[in-house]
Amino acid sequence: KQEVTQIPAALSVPEGENLVLNCSFTDSAIYNLQWFRQDPGKGLTSLLLIQSSQREQTSGRLNASLDKSSGRSTLYIAASQPGDSATYLCAVNGANSKLTFGKGITLSVRP
Amino acid sequence: DARVTQTPRHKVTEMGQEVTMRCQPILGHNTVFWYRQTMMQGLELLAYFRNRAPLDDSGMPKDRFSAEMPDATLATLKIQPSEPRDSAVYFCASGLVPKQGASLKAFFGQGTRLTVV
């Protein structure tokens, strides 16, 4: 059974800091890994999707990497801003398209 | 702008009542997921469908929950009878798997916030 872990559960950083959010998974037989953002009371917005054959994806100040063999992914946020405050979830797309989520990391960026 | 639509957005009901949540997946998507989100458990997969057929509903309490896709444009999640512990946000997501073994990108609806009193 696939298990996805995100540690720590919460993170608080000052504005302008570069930061890394971690995601680990137990079964490396995945098709892709997706990072989502969730604002309070809202749905999930897809940020980046990395195919299993890729090592990283970039979108603006966000960069996601994938090391499938070790079961790890990181989301790098450059020059963090208060508007980046949200919960960040990773999800792995595995056998039969099943999508398994971590519990998320709640990020607070202090002005 | 294509999006997954869920109704209702909010529902307050009394214990024992039937609750039906609806989801309209993005047109052309062939895979639909139902998730439940709580503070304690995070996002739990309840059930998902491919081409309207259930692939896995092992995450769903079978005695009170049921999920169906009457047609390709509608997925439903029913709870009967509802209990206070069912209070949560229920999300629907959809994606396209063009062929067996292909990767899927999931798109989420805004969720239905259910409160059972």
Side-chain angles (χ1 to χ4, degrees), chain B residues 17-63:
Chain B
Q17 295 297 304
E18 177 178 301
V19 175
T20 299
M21 290 169 271
R22 293 177 173 81
C23 169
Q24 182 177 355
I26 292 173
L27 191 64
H29 282 185
N30 61 359
T31 305
V32 175
F33 301 86
W34 281 107
Y35 287 89
R36 175 170 61 185
Q37 187 177 41
T38 60
M39 289 292 292
M40 290 299 295
Q41 300 297 327
L43 272 165
E44 300 174 276
L45 178 63
L46 297 175
Y48 69 113
F49 297 77
R50 171 78 46 75
N51 298 323
R52 297 175 55 200
L55 281 183
D56 186 346
D57 61 1
S58 59
M60 209 164 60
K62 299 291 192 306
D63 56 338

Side-chain angles (χ1 to χ4, degrees), chain A residues 27-72:
Chain A
D27 186 350
S28 61
I30 65 170
Y31 293 120
N32 66 46
L33 185 144
Q34 217 170 336
W35 280 94
F36 292 87
R37 168 181 173 142
Q38 186 176 28
D39 292 292
K42 303 292 186 183
L44 280 70
T45 301
S46 180
L47 296 173
L48 289 164
L49 181 148
I50 313 176
Q51 302 288 358
S52 61
S53 58
Q54 297 175 321
R55 296 285 293 184
E56 63 179 63
Q57 280 286 324
T58 298
S59 176
R61 293 183 295 108
L62 305 180
N63 175 277
S65 68
L66 175 65
D67 184 342
K68 202 174 75 160
S69 60
S70 67
R72 295 179 190 277

